[in-house]
Amino acid sequence: MMGTMAPSLQKQVSVMSMNLSAKLDELQRGDRHMETTVALCEIRSQLQELTKSVESCQSEVSEVKRDMVAIKHELDTVQQVKEEIEELREYVDRLEEHTHRRKLRLLEQGLTFFLTYAIFAAVLGMLQFGYNTGVINAPEVNIENFMKDVYKDRYGEDITEEFIQQLYSVAVSIFAIGGMLGGFSGGWMANRFGRKGGLLLNNILGISGACLMGFTKMSHSYEMLFLGRFIIGVNCGLNTSLVPMYISEIAPLNLRGGLGTVNQLAVTVGLLLSQVLGIEQILGTNDGWPVLLGLAICPAILQLLLLPVCPESPRYLLITKQWEEEARKALRRLRASNQVEEDIEEMRAEERAQQAESHISTMELICSPTLRTPLIIGIVMQLSQQLSGINAVFYYSTSLFMSSGLTEESAKFATIGIGAIMVVMTLVSIPLMDRTGRRTLHFPQEMIDWMSYLSVVSTLAFVVFFAVGPGSIPWMITAELFSQGPRPSAMAIAVLVNWMANFVVGIGFPSLKTALENYTFLPFSVFLAIFWIFTYKKVPETKNKTFEEILALFRHGNGSIAESSNVNETQMQHYPNSQINEDHKKFFVALSHVENISYLIIVEYANFRSMLNCVNSLEPQSMNSGIEHAALMISEEKTQHDSHHT
């Protein structure tokens, strides 16, 4: 500005000086007889104009000086912010190191007596689920005979074979309808009463359903059997939502996979128990089957006796209820140690990472772009469990084996073999879960299932691979994929889908078997091929990752700055002068990952970097133009920043 203003003033003064000299020369020569008075007036006018120009120049010079002082102040501010950014970088480095040390200490935690006790008390709910899934299988003929007798006593005629098959299918599948209702209510129950409180209340349903089934024959009503199966289904649906949630929240980081597999172990033990008790030598008789179904009361009563001693989930107490002291007490009991600061810090980190998602509703979860991917993964993993056809084996294995040529007694023992294999292979999968990982173990079953329709041997092989991977992983990984806020709603949706698929398989398998005969399991093989590809492409490994790190997997995506800091490409275009290189991108990722640094801080850093680059490029010989450029950039950056935030 000064550079352009000074030549203009100099030229104006030169012109006026030349005019003044010309007038004086004319007065001295006197050859043109010009009036002296007129000439002096012109000279005075020229002098006044010159005086005004000089005063205007002085005013402009003063304004430039003020602008330069303001610019110097801005540059001092930029330098100060640069120093603060360096301090922040050092802080982030220290925080990352601290987080790494904290995670290493978490990975060193072991299994304590009281943690084992709490897990045993909780998984009784999953044992209940397994028992009631398999208990209807072995006494199929006995239950059908009972239905025939009731129908004949009521209507005075024999029931058709087709209708008795339909009634038995209702008894099987109405359990899944109850499971849908219970599973979908699990999220509300977990938030309203807590994980432990929800499990305790749920046992009321377990006792009611077991009593109804146990007194079915005495009441001479198969409708009571349907009602009992429905109520116990609601109970089991709630268990499949609450138990994995509770266990994943109380388990140490390094044991979460193995302890999560205990869910499926309890299911398989319940299955095996129902199959053993269902043989003809024990309770698989026309008189014994009501007792067999009524024994479902035992896990409910046992859990009512054991669970009150256990603490509530520390994560629920700290993050949901904000009861830090209660959470510390629960952790001290579970860890058998007073040193629980690492767990508290890890929960606080999860709380900070999911603050925007706290107390999220089911509809908000479905509509959330950030949570859509983990929700889809959770749903597909649940479908991969049910549409594998495994429940067709659990529900109808006795009739399947009889159709392959075995006697009824041999078929029941083969069914027991399925249960025993499930238990053994689930035990094998417990140490593998935290060594091999969830994603890897989910692959094998899909590759072997095409054989499952060939013979009893291939059915048993199918069960082996199911038990190692897809049997246990969906219950655990759904709880792992979500932070404390959306976890209950996510579990409710995933469990609802699981039970819906369970129902479809249970009600549709007899018709499928009639239509396809020896190729009954072929549609399941097609589904499993699809699930194998999905698992390979989309499912992340969660082994030895904190909930905060798992959440970051979906927020950060491919690690780009736009995804990792919630700044999309459109937002970054608001800052065209930002000189952001790869180091800066990594720094942004660290900022947002370690401490969930807000978008505003990252944008401000980009602004200051651009101004610093401008300042650093200034050369002494071009200071005037450099200062002017810096001033323009400061003005532009402020304008863009203000417009963005308004």
Side-chain angles (χ1 to χ4, degrees), residues 73-93:
H73 176 72
E74 293 283 357
L75 293 177
D76 291 341
T77 303
V78 168
Q79 184 61 33
Q80 182 182 354
V81 171
K82 181 180 179 182
E83 294 172 358
E84 291 175 356
I85 290 293
E86 292 300 325
E87 292 178 3
L88 183 60
R89 187 194 297 271
E90 293 175 2
Y91 171 73
V92 169
D93 291 339

PDB file of all heavy atoms in Angstrom, residues 73-93:
ATOM      1  N   HIS A  73       0.607  -8.025  15.994  1.00  0.00           N
ATOM      2  CA  HIS A  73      -0.080  -8.692  17.108  1.00  0.00           C
ATOM      3  C   HIS A  73      -0.614 -10.057  16.667  1.00  0.00           C
ATOM      4  O   HIS A  73      -0.509 -11.052  17.398  1.00  0.00           O
ATOM      5  CB  HIS A  73      -1.215  -7.799  17.609  1.00  0.00           C
ATOM      6  CG  HIS A  73      -2.035  -8.446  18.701  1.00  0.00           C
ATOM      7  ND1 HIS A  73      -1.545  -8.625  19.975  1.00  0.00           N
ATOM      8  CD2 HIS A  73      -3.298  -8.960  18.685  1.00  0.00           C
ATOM      9  CE1 HIS A  73      -2.465  -9.226  20.710  1.00  0.00           C
ATOM     10  NE2 HIS A  73      -3.536  -9.432  19.947  1.00  0.00           N
ATOM     11  N   GLU A  74      -1.208 -10.111  15.445  1.00  0.00           N
ATOM     12  CA  GLU A  74      -1.710 -11.379  14.917  1.00  0.00           C
ATOM     13  C   GLU A  74      -0.582 -12.389  14.760  1.00  0.00           C
ATOM     14  O   GLU A  74      -0.730 -13.573  15.085  1.00  0.00           O
ATOM     15  CB  GLU A  74      -2.400 -11.144  13.573  1.00  0.00           C
ATOM     16  CG  GLU A  74      -3.684 -10.342  13.635  1.00  0.00           C
ATOM     17  CD  GLU A  74      -4.850 -11.180  14.140  1.00  0.00           C
ATOM     18  OE1 GLU A  74      -4.644 -12.378  14.385  1.00  0.00           O
ATOM     19  OE2 GLU A  74      -5.950 -10.634  14.280  1.00  0.00           O
ATOM     20  N   LEU A  75       0.540 -11.924  14.251  1.00  0.00           N
ATOM     21  CA  LEU A  75       1.672 -12.830  14.054  1.00  0.00           C
ATOM     22  C   LEU A  75       2.211 -13.337  15.385  1.00  0.00           C
ATOM     23  O   LEU A  75       2.613 -14.500  15.507  1.00  0.00           O
ATOM     24  CB  LEU A  75       2.773 -12.122  13.268  1.00  0.00           C
ATOM     25  CG  LEU A  75       2.428 -11.767  11.818  1.00  0.00           C
ATOM     26  CD1 LEU A  75       3.570 -10.996  11.173  1.00  0.00           C
ATOM     27  CD2 LEU A  75       2.131 -13.016  11.016  1.00  0.00           C
ATOM     28  N   ASP A  76       2.207 -12.481  16.399  1.00  0.00           N
ATOM     29  CA  ASP A  76       2.613 -12.920  17.737  1.00  0.00           C
ATOM     30  C   ASP A  76       1.655 -13.989  18.259  1.00  0.00           C
ATOM     31  O   ASP A  76       2.067 -14.975  18.886  1.00  0.00           O
ATOM     32  CB  ASP A  76       2.647 -11.726  18.701  1.00  0.00           C
ATOM     33  CG  ASP A  76       3.780 -10.760  18.376  1.00  0.00           C
ATOM     34  OD1 ASP A  76       4.724 -11.181  17.676  1.00  0.00           O
ATOM     35  OD2 ASP A  76       3.702  -9.586  18.806  1.00  0.00           O
ATOM     36  N   THR A  77       0.356 -13.780  17.983  1.00  0.00           N
ATOM     37  CA  THR A  77      -0.647 -14.769  18.398  1.00  0.00           C
ATOM     38  C   THR A  77      -0.428 -16.095  17.690  1.00  0.00           C
ATOM     39  O   THR A  77      -0.517 -17.167  18.290  1.00  0.00           O
ATOM     40  CB  THR A  77      -2.059 -14.241  18.090  1.00  0.00           C
ATOM     41  OG1 THR A  77      -2.248 -12.985  18.746  1.00  0.00           O
ATOM     42  CG2 THR A  77      -3.119 -15.223  18.567  1.00  0.00           C
ATOM     43  N   VAL A  78      -0.131 -16.015  16.390  1.00  0.00           N
ATOM     44  CA  VAL A  78       0.131 -17.234  15.618  1.00  0.00           C
ATOM     45  C   VAL A  78       1.328 -17.985  16.188  1.00  0.00           C
ATOM     46  O   VAL A  78       1.309 -19.209  16.337  1.00  0.00           O
ATOM     47  CB  VAL A  78       0.365 -16.881  14.137  1.00  0.00           C
ATOM     48  CG1 VAL A  78       0.922 -18.078  13.376  1.00  0.00           C
ATOM     49  CG2 VAL A  78      -0.932 -16.412  13.500  1.00  0.00           C
ATOM     50  N   GLN A  79       2.364 -17.262  16.539  1.00  0.00           N
ATOM     51  CA  GLN A  79       3.553 -17.893  17.101  1.00  0.00           C
ATOM     52  C   GLN A  79       3.234 -18.564  18.428  1.00  0.00           C
ATOM     53  O   GLN A  79       3.707 -19.667  18.727  1.00  0.00           O
ATOM     54  CB  GLN A  79       4.655 -16.839  17.291  1.00  0.00           C
ATOM     55  CG  GLN A  79       5.978 -17.406  17.774  1.00  0.00           C
ATOM     56  CD  GLN A  79       6.578 -18.416  16.805  1.00  0.00           C
ATOM     57  OE1 GLN A  79       6.410 -18.282  15.593  1.00  0.00           O
ATOM     58  NE2 GLN A  79       7.244 -19.429  17.328  1.00  0.00           N
ATOM     59  N   GLN A  80       2.396 -17.889  19.213  1.00  0.00           N
ATOM     60  CA  GLN A  80       2.004 -18.459  20.501  1.00  0.00           C
ATOM     61  C   GLN A  80       1.198 -19.740  20.303  1.00  0.00           C
ATOM     62  O   GLN A  80       1.412 -20.737  20.998  1.00  0.00           O
ATOM     63  CB  GLN A  80       1.179 -17.433  21.282  1.00  0.00           C
ATOM     64  CG  GLN A  80       0.752 -17.924  22.662  1.00  0.00           C
ATOM     65  CD  GLN A  80      -0.098 -16.890  23.389  1.00  0.00           C
ATOM     66  OE1 GLN A  80      -0.274 -15.771  22.908  1.00  0.00           O
ATOM     67  NE2 GLN A  80      -0.612 -17.272  24.534  1.00  0.00           N
ATOM     68  N   VAL A  81       0.287 -19.716  19.321  1.00  0.00           N
ATOM     69  CA  VAL A  81      -0.510 -20.914  19.042  1.00  0.00           C
ATOM     70  C   VAL A  81       0.369 -22.040  18.526  1.00  0.00           C
ATOM     71  O   VAL A  81       0.167 -23.214  18.846  1.00  0.00           O
ATOM     72  CB  VAL A  81      -1.630 -20.583  18.034  1.00  0.00           C
ATOM     73  CG1 VAL A  81      -2.333 -21.850  17.569  1.00  0.00           C
ATOM     74  CG2 VAL A  81      -2.631 -19.626  18.663  1.00  0.00           C
ATOM     75  N   LYS A  82       1.373 -21.681  17.723  1.00  0.00           N
ATOM     76  CA  LYS A  82       2.305 -22.699  17.232  1.00  0.00           C
ATOM     77  C   LYS A  82       2.988 -23.396  18.397  1.00  0.00           C
ATOM     78  O   LYS A  82       3.132 -24.630  18.410  1.00  0.00           O
ATOM     79  CB  LYS A  82       3.343 -22.044  16.322  1.00  0.00           C
ATOM     80  CG  LYS A  82       4.359 -23.030  15.743  1.00  0.00           C
ATOM     81  CD  LYS A  82       5.363 -22.317  14.847  1.00  0.00           C
ATOM     82  CE  LYS A  82       6.380 -23.322  14.298  1.00  0.00           C
ATOM     83  NZ  LYS A  82       7.397 -22.665  13.454  1.00  0.00           N
ATOM     84  N   GLU A  83       3.389 -22.642  19.397  1.00  0.00           N
ATOM     85  CA  GLU A  83       4.016 -23.232  20.577  1.00  0.00           C
ATOM     86  C   GLU A  83       3.018 -24.109  21.341  1.00  0.00           C
ATOM     87  O   GLU A  83       3.377 -25.181  21.841  1.00  0.00           O
ATOM     88  CB  GLU A  83       4.552 -22.114  21.477  1.00  0.00           C
ATOM     89  CG  GLU A  83       5.699 -21.325  20.846  1.00  0.00           C
ATOM     90  CD  GLU A  83       6.092 -20.110  21.670  1.00  0.00           C
ATOM     91  OE1 GLU A  83       5.438 -19.883  22.713  1.00  0.00           O
ATOM     92  OE2 GLU A  83       7.038 -19.395  21.274  1.00  0.00           O
ATOM     93  N   GLU A  84       1.757 -23.637  21.412  1.00  0.00           N
ATOM     94  CA  GLU A  84       0.744 -24.437  22.100  1.00  0.00           C
ATOM     95  C   GLU A  84       0.471 -25.742  21.366  1.00  0.00           C
ATOM     96  O   GLU A  84       0.243 -26.785  21.991  1.00  0.00           O
ATOM     97  CB  GLU A  84      -0.541 -23.619  22.233  1.00  0.00           C
ATOM     98  CG  GLU A  84      -0.419 -22.451  23.203  1.00  0.00           C
ATOM     99  CD  GLU A  84      -1.674 -21.592  23.228  1.00  0.00           C
ATOM    100  OE1 GLU A  84      -2.596 -21.885  22.424  1.00  0.00           O
ATOM    101  OE2 GLU A  84      -1.732 -20.651  24.042  1.00  0.00           O
ATOM    102  N   ILE A  85       0.485 -25.690  20.029  1.00  0.00           N
ATOM    103  CA  ILE A  85       0.289 -26.908  19.244  1.00  0.00           C
ATOM    104  C   ILE A  85       1.412 -27.903  19.508  1.00  0.00           C
ATOM    105  O   ILE A  85       1.194 -29.115  19.623  1.00  0.00           O
ATOM    106  CB  ILE A  85       0.196 -26.574  17.746  1.00  0.00           C
ATOM    107  CG1 ILE A  85      -1.107 -25.838  17.440  1.00  0.00           C
ATOM    108  CG2 ILE A  85       0.297 -27.828  16.896  1.00  0.00           C
ATOM    109  CD1 ILE A  85      -2.343 -26.681  17.619  1.00  0.00           C
ATOM    110  N   GLU A  86       2.628 -27.403  19.597  1.00  0.00           N
ATOM    111  CA  GLU A  86       3.760 -28.281  19.899  1.00  0.00           C
ATOM    112  C   GLU A  86       3.584 -28.919  21.274  1.00  0.00           C
ATOM    113  O   GLU A  86       3.869 -30.103  21.464  1.00  0.00           O
ATOM    114  CB  GLU A  86       5.072 -27.490  19.840  1.00  0.00           C
ATOM    115  CG  GLU A  86       5.459 -27.024  18.446  1.00  0.00           C
ATOM    116  CD  GLU A  86       5.638 -28.183  17.483  1.00  0.00           C
ATOM    117  OE1 GLU A  86       6.114 -29.254  17.922  1.00  0.00           O
ATOM    118  OE2 GLU A  86       5.289 -28.034  16.299  1.00  0.00           O
ATOM    119  N   GLU A  87       3.114 -28.139  22.238  1.00  0.00           N
ATOM    120  CA  GLU A  87       2.847 -28.692  23.563  1.00  0.00           C
ATOM    121  C   GLU A  87       1.748 -29.747  23.494  1.00  0.00           C
ATOM    122  O   GLU A  87       1.831 -30.790  24.161  1.00  0.00           O
ATOM    123  CB  GLU A  87       2.441 -27.567  24.523  1.00  0.00           C
ATOM    124  CG  GLU A  87       3.566 -26.597  24.856  1.00  0.00           C
ATOM    125  CD  GLU A  87       3.099 -25.480  25.777  1.00  0.00           C
ATOM    126  OE1 GLU A  87       1.919 -25.521  26.191  1.00  0.00           O
ATOM    127  OE2 GLU A  87       3.897 -24.574  26.074  1.00  0.00           O
ATOM    128  N   LEU A  88       0.716 -29.467  22.684  1.00  0.00           N
ATOM    129  CA  LEU A  88      -0.371 -30.430  22.526  1.00  0.00           C
ATOM    130  C   LEU A  88       0.126 -31.715  21.884  1.00  0.00           C
ATOM    131  O   LEU A  88      -0.272 -32.817  22.274  1.00  0.00           O
ATOM    132  CB  LEU A  88      -1.485 -29.812  21.673  1.00  0.00           C
ATOM    133  CG  LEU A  88      -2.747 -30.658  21.472  1.00  0.00           C
ATOM    134  CD1 LEU A  88      -3.395 -30.982  22.806  1.00  0.00           C
ATOM    135  CD2 LEU A  88      -3.735 -29.939  20.567  1.00  0.00           C
ATOM    136  N   ARG A  89       1.018 -31.584  20.904  1.00  0.00           N
ATOM    137  CA  ARG A  89       1.595 -32.779  20.279  1.00  0.00           C
ATOM    138  C   ARG A  89       2.337 -33.633  21.308  1.00  0.00           C
ATOM    139  O   ARG A  89       2.212 -34.853  21.338  1.00  0.00           O
ATOM    140  CB  ARG A  89       2.538 -32.360  19.148  1.00  0.00           C
ATOM    141  CG  ARG A  89       3.085 -33.520  18.311  1.00  0.00           C
ATOM    142  CD  ARG A  89       4.253 -33.058  17.452  1.00  0.00           C
ATOM    143  NE  ARG A  89       3.845 -32.054  16.494  1.00  0.00           N
ATOM    144  CZ  ARG A  89       3.390 -32.360  15.271  1.00  0.00           C
ATOM    145  NH1 ARG A  89       3.287 -33.616  14.900  1.00  0.00           N
ATOM    146  NH2 ARG A  89       3.054 -31.395  14.440  1.00  0.00           N
ATOM    147  N   GLU A  90       3.140 -32.962  22.146  1.00  0.00           N
ATOM    148  CA  GLU A  90       3.864 -33.688  23.190  1.00  0.00           C
ATOM    149  C   GLU A  90       2.893 -34.347  24.162  1.00  0.00           C
ATOM    150  O   GLU A  90       3.110 -35.483  24.602  1.00  0.00           O
ATOM    151  CB  GLU A  90       4.791 -32.726  23.937  1.00  0.00           C
ATOM    152  CG  GLU A  90       5.931 -32.185  23.078  1.00  0.00           C
ATOM    153  CD  GLU A  90       6.751 -31.145  23.815  1.00  0.00           C
ATOM    154  OE1 GLU A  90       6.445 -30.886  25.001  1.00  0.00           O
ATOM    155  OE2 GLU A  90       7.687 -30.577  23.208  1.00  0.00           O
ATOM    156  N   TYR A  91       1.802 -33.639  24.474  1.00  0.00           N
ATOM    157  CA  TYR A  91       0.799 -34.203  25.379  1.00  0.00           C
ATOM    158  C   TYR A  91       0.143 -35.444  24.784  1.00  0.00           C
ATOM    159  O   TYR A  91      -0.066 -36.456  25.464  1.00  0.00           O
ATOM    160  CB  TYR A  91      -0.262 -33.142  25.690  1.00  0.00           C
ATOM    161  CG  TYR A  91      -1.458 -33.676  26.435  1.00  0.00           C
ATOM    162  CD1 TYR A  91      -1.367 -34.019  27.782  1.00  0.00           C
ATOM    163  CD2 TYR A  91      -2.688 -33.842  25.786  1.00  0.00           C
ATOM    164  CE1 TYR A  91      -2.464 -34.515  28.454  1.00  0.00           C
ATOM    165  CE2 TYR A  91      -3.783 -34.336  26.459  1.00  0.00           C
ATOM    166  CZ  TYR A  91      -3.671 -34.667  27.796  1.00  0.00           C
ATOM    167  OH  TYR A  91      -4.751 -35.162  28.457  1.00  0.00           O
ATOM    168  N   VAL A  92      -0.190 -35.368  23.473  1.00  0.00           N
ATOM    169  CA  VAL A  92      -0.799 -36.512  22.808  1.00  0.00           C
ATOM    170  C   VAL A  92       0.150 -37.711  22.811  1.00  0.00           C
ATOM    171  O   VAL A  92      -0.257 -38.852  23.049  1.00  0.00           O
ATOM    172  CB  VAL A  92      -1.205 -36.142  21.364  1.00  0.00           C
ATOM    173  CG1 VAL A  92      -1.593 -37.381  20.570  1.00  0.00           C
ATOM    174  CG2 VAL A  92      -2.363 -35.154  21.381  1.00  0.00           C
ATOM    175  N   ASP A  93       1.431 -37.455  22.570  1.00  0.00           N
ATOM    176  CA  ASP A  93       2.418 -38.542  22.600  1.00  0.00           C
ATOM    177  C   ASP A  93       2.473 -39.187  23.980  1.00  0.00           C
ATOM    178  O   ASP A  93       2.510 -40.419  24.103  1.00  0.00           O
ATOM    179  CB  ASP A  93       3.803 -38.008  22.217  1.00  0.00           C
ATOM    180  CG  ASP A  93       3.877 -37.606  20.750  1.00  0.00           C
ATOM    181  OD1 ASP A  93       3.025 -38.096  19.969  1.00  0.00           O
ATOM    182  OD2 ASP A  93       4.766 -36.811  20.387  1.00  0.00           O
TER     183      ASP A  93
END
